[in-house]
Amino acid sequence: MTVSQGPLKGRARRSVLTDDVYERVKSLVMNGDLAPGARVNIYAVARLLDVSQTPVREVLAALESEGLLTKEALRGYSVAPVLTAAQVADLYQLRLLLEPWAAARAAERITPGAAARLRAELDSVPQAPQGTRYEDYQAIAAHDARFHDLVAELSGSPALRESLQRTHSHLHLFRIEYEGRRSGEPTLAEHARIAETLAAGRAQEAEQAMRDHLTAARDRFLRIGPTT
């Protein structure tokens, strides 16, 4: 079983070991080695990864906070179910209400430093992945989360930014389950258009570019996912 050993993303660093365990457990979930609904036993994971239970406990709690795991009293952790098509549509409806506004606001507030950050984020993933496992797709999945988080940050609304942070892992689980990671190229092109309008300070165009991107992403999801 191949598992990733990349750095921990999206939360404060605690230790190299915890970072490693985080990515290895996340890979098990994202690759389907731990299937939706499967129980995740702390002791079994610690034995599998040949580590102590302490970093495993920290990692499972972090993955629960991201929505990848659920926890029930007396039962412990389980892998969260993959979203249904109706849940995906509902989630995108929320994003369509929030993120176009965030893009317009970010364009109004843009600075040279912020524009440079957008360009650097685009440069972090110069091309779409070709592989079929999470290790191959990990870079663009992380880029997608960072890009949307950066736009939310640049809008100046902490509440909006926080409300969007939990959506990304759920959507990537759905994508991996049903799509096989085939949306990388259009995603990168759409991100580039958003970044261009933001950097130029064109608020209305930025709003429309974000709306077009989210609508296209939603439609890609719904074309390949389940019907219920």
Side-chain angles (χ1 to χ4, degrees), residues 19-127:
D19 294 352
D20 178 64
V21 172
Y22 173 91
E23 285 296 352
R24 294 170 73 186
V25 176
K26 188 171 183 177
S27 290
L28 294 175
V29 174
M30 300 298 271
N31 283 323
D33 298 313
L34 290 171
R39 295 281 299 277
V40 182
N41 183 278
I42 292 173
Y43 310 104
V45 172
R47 286 195 301 271
L48 174 66
L49 302 183
D50 193 24
V51 297
S52 71
Q53 296 169 23
T54 298
V56 173
R57 290 181 189 278
E58 293 182 14
V59 163
L60 297 189
L63 292 174
E64 181 196 10
S65 72
E66 294 178 23
L68 288 177
L69 301 181
T70 61
K71 187 179 183 181
E72 296 181 50
L74 305 180
R75 288 181 56 84
Y77 292 99
S78 299
V79 178
V82 177
L83 297 176
T84 66
Q87 289 172 321
V88 169
D90 184 59
L91 189 57
Y92 268 99
Q93 184 60 41
L94 173 65
R95 296 183 68 182
L96 280 162
L97 290 172
L98 298 177
E99 293 193 71
W101 175 88
R105 180 72 183 275
E108 292 170 352
R109 295 163 48 91
I110 201 71
T111 65
R117 292 177 64 192
L118 287 165
R119 287 191 294 270
E121 183 54 53
L122 292 178
D123 291 343
S124 71
V125 183
Q127 61 184 19

